[in-house]
Amino acid sequence: MPDQSTADGRVPDQAAANGRVLDQAAADGRVLDQAAADGRVLDGTAANGRVLDGTAADGRVLDQAAADGRVPGRAGSSNRDPARRTTGGAADAVILDGLAVLIIGGGMIGCALAHRLVLAGASVRVCEAGGLASATTAHGEGNVLVSDKGPGPELELARLSRGLWPETLVRIGERLPDEVAAAEWEPKGGIVVATTEAGATALDEFARGQRAAGVRCEELDADRLATAEPALTRDVTASVYYPDDAQVQPVGAAAALIGSAVAAGAIVETRCAVTGPILEGGRLIGVRTTKGTRYADVVINAAGPWSGPVSELLGAPIAVKPRRGDVLITAPMPPTVFHKVYDADYVGAVGSSDAALQSSAVVESTRGGPLLIGSSRRQCGFDDRLRPDSLAAIARKALRLYPVLADVAVMRAYGGFRPYVDDHLPVIGPDPRLPGLWHATGHEGAGIGLSVGTAHLLTAALANLPTAVDITAFAVDRPAVLAPLESTKKYVSL
């Protein structure tokens, strides 16, 4: 189970000791103070876990995975080609019988891969340099979105993954109900708003393109918007409702996925950093780690923002870079925000390649009562300092959407790194330069939502089966992925 989780699943690495109110934060950005050394959280989950909009979580769950219910993976290596496995069928069909897979990284992507691959019959081992779901995953908001992606391969992957999330949790819940309950699946829907005439025109065009691609979305007039979000500013020029947007508690969801994998035989090693490759005849047959040598038929680089440094260690570098983001957390509140609500500028910030600070208003509730307020994007390497300009920009833009938050206390702030690729597409598939190496990374801020779909695609590709979404768009051998790396910082945690 994740060793740094908080009540809302987000690591309390920085906190405001004085409970500064949001309008003061907007003015000077000073909401920083170190969190308590014991990592206590300030916004615990409500005892009854009731969903604010009255929607119950899809998946009810059962008992804890036995810690000793693990079977060892194959210790040796082989040159068997996974492409020879061509049989398949149902979601839990054994299509990778006995294939030894080593996953580098125990974040959300790694946990989803472990869950899906072990169901497909693979022998799975996860090597995580830090603690499970303790870095990027723990610093995320848990978004499962279709609203922020235009027509194209990433939207198709998002739609696939959105369909898989509820059924995945239901299946896990048949054995692990407590873990699925902790995942806090909330199909709350999203509302995107524009506050300028130019923004309204752009939002209308964007939504029309999404509808043509099969996304469910509808315009809200002023009355319907006021009913859906009573506290939202009335200074809105357009709004679009996305019923399929959802949210999970990220660490809880990762714990459910990895708990299911361990119960089915996967092995997880934390504090197990990769130090180099084991090669035989030009093929990757395993890795050297701080805990010894580990052999496998297939090695999957799922190291998130650290995928670039990991790929360098293995001798096949890919240009996945860290992109910093910050979030503010308010004191617990009575029900105030009932959907994921964000300004239409958010889509532009996500799609921007500018290394400088990009910010937009994103406001959503948690089951425990605090609001999550984002978001920002900045390329600053692995510099993990919270910056006042980022926090102030977030607060100002949130207040424009929800003026009622002006006197709400900001209890803490945190930041994390997203795995960024210049062409804004994930990297999923085999590395043509090094047989035996696969990648599943580069999802930027969408990794939580895209994780189960990514695992589905990669498992099918390993078995040489047709994939539900064309995987070629995510191939390794594209210019943005093979560009020179800008950072060689050693990875330490996922």
Side-chain angles (χ1 to χ4, degrees):
M1 295 291 106
D3 59 350
Q4 282 185 282
S5 61
T6 71
D8 69 350
R10 298 156 182 95
V11 175
D13 48 340
Q14 279 97 7
N18 60 1
R20 187 173 294 274
V21 297
L22 193 60
D23 59 351
Q24 291 174 306
D28 61 14
R30 285 182 295 157
V31 296
L32 333 162
D33 224 37
Q34 279 307 103
D38 63 357
R40 284 180 300 123
V41 294
L42 300 168
D43 55 335
T45 305
N48 62 6
R50 195 161 50 84
V51 184
L52 290 178
D53 63 0
T55 306
D58 275 17
R60 292 198 305 256
V61 273
L62 312 173
D63 44 6
Q64 186 92 8
D68 59 355
R70 298 179 297 172
V71 296
R74 194 153 71 232
S77 66
S78 79
N79 291 323
R80 295 187 308 154
D81 185 353
R84 294 177 189 165
R85 293 161 178 77
T86 57
T87 60
D92 58 352
V94 178
I95 56 177
L96 297 174
D97 188 18
L99 183 74
V101 179
L102 187 148
I103 300 167
I104 302 172
M108 180 64 85
I109 299 295
C111 291
L113 286 168
H115 165 74
R116 185 67 190 88
L117 288 165
V118 78
L119 288 182
S123 174
V124 174
R125 180 187 297 268
V126 178
C127 292
E128 160 58 44
L132 284 175
S134 63
T136 297
T137 298
H139 293 80
E141 297 178 20
N143 294 326
V144 182
L145 304 182
V146 296
S147 59
D148 62 340
K149 300 167 183 66
E154 189 183 28
L155 177 59
E156 292 308 303
L157 177 56
R159 294 179 66 206
L160 169 68
S161 205
R162 173 58 178 84
L164 289 171
W165 261 112
E167 64 184 62
T168 298
L169 293 173
V170 167
R171 290 169 66 88
I172 295 173
E174 293 170 0
R175 294 189 65 182
L176 306 174
D178 292 340
E179 280 82 349
V180 170
E184 295 185 5
W185 170 256
E186 287 193 59
K188 62 173 68 174
I191 297 178
V192 184
V193 299
T195 55
T196 65
E197 291 302 328
T201 300
L203 177 58
D204 177 68
E205 181 179 350
F206 186 77
R208 281 191 282 109
Q210 289 180 303
R211 287 190 200 97
V215 173
R216 294 197 302 154
C217 59
E218 57 181 297
E219 296 178 8
L220 299 179
D221 61 24
D223 290 340
R224 292 182 66 198
L225 179 61
T227 299
E229 290 292 334
L232 183 69
T233 179
R234 297 295 171 259
D235 185 20
V236 170
T237 55
S239 61
V240 179
Y241 170 57
Y242 291 84
D244 291 327
D245 278 0
Q247 184 181 22
V248 293
Q249 199 281 352
V251 170
L257 291 165
I258 200 66
S260 173
V262 168
I267 294 174
V268 176
E269 295 184 284
T270 57
R271 311 289 186 262
C272 182
V274 171
T275 60
I278 302 173
L279 302 173
E280 183 179 276
R283 182 180 181 88
L284 183 65
I285 62 169
V287 293
R288 295 182 177 86
T289 79
T290 51
K291 292 189 174 182
T293 57
R294 302 290 184 265
Y295 293 90
D297 299 320
V298 171
V299 174
I300 303 174
N301 175 13
W306 293 269
S307 295
V310 166
S311 66
E312 277 193 294
L313 283 173
L314 298 178
I318 57 174
V320 175
K321 300 173 283 188
R323 198 180 194 194
R324 174 78 179 183
D326 299 315
V327 175
L328 297 171
I329 304 229
T330 74
M333 297 179 61
T336 304
V337 180
F338 300 94
H339 303 80
K340 181 183 180 70
V341 180
Y342 63 88
D343 193 294
D345 291 346
Y346 176 76
V347 175
V350 171
S352 171
S353 297
D354 195 331
L357 175 65
Q358 308 287 310
S359 64
S360 55
V362 181
V363 184
E364 60 192 312
S365 62
T366 65
R367 287 194 185 180
L371 300 181
L372 305 180
I373 300 176
S375 73
S376 68
R377 281 168 164 77
R378 188 198 312 254
Q379 293 184 46
C380 56
F382 285 100
D383 184 345
D384 63 358
R385 293 173 296 174
L386 279 174
R387 303 192 185 196
D389 62 335
S390 172
L391 302 177
I394 290 169
R396 282 194 301 269
K397 293 188 174 183
L399 285 173
R400 184 177 183 185
L401 290 189
Y402 284 92
V404 70
L405 300 180
D407 295 325
V408 172
V410 174
M411 298 305 293
R412 61 186 176 93
Y414 64 78
F417 301 107
R418 308 175 179 96
Y420 170 81
V421 180
D422 282 338
D423 64 4
H424 305 285
L425 288 175
V427 185
I428 306 169
D431 195 312
R433 301 163 298 176
L434 183 57
L437 174 62
W438 290 57
H439 301 278
T441 185
H443 299 79
E444 223 243 287
I448 304 297
L450 300 181
S451 58
V452 293
T454 295
H456 184 88
L457 291 186
L458 193 141
T459 300
L462 275 170
N464 199 29
L465 294 173
T467 54
V469 173
D470 185 2
I471 202 171
T472 58
F474 310 121
V476 176
D477 57 348
R478 53 188 215 259
V481 178
L482 298 182
L485 273 173
E486 296 176 4
S487 171
T488 57
K489 180 181 173 70
K490 183 179 179 180
Y491 82 111
V492 292
S493 178
L494 260 220

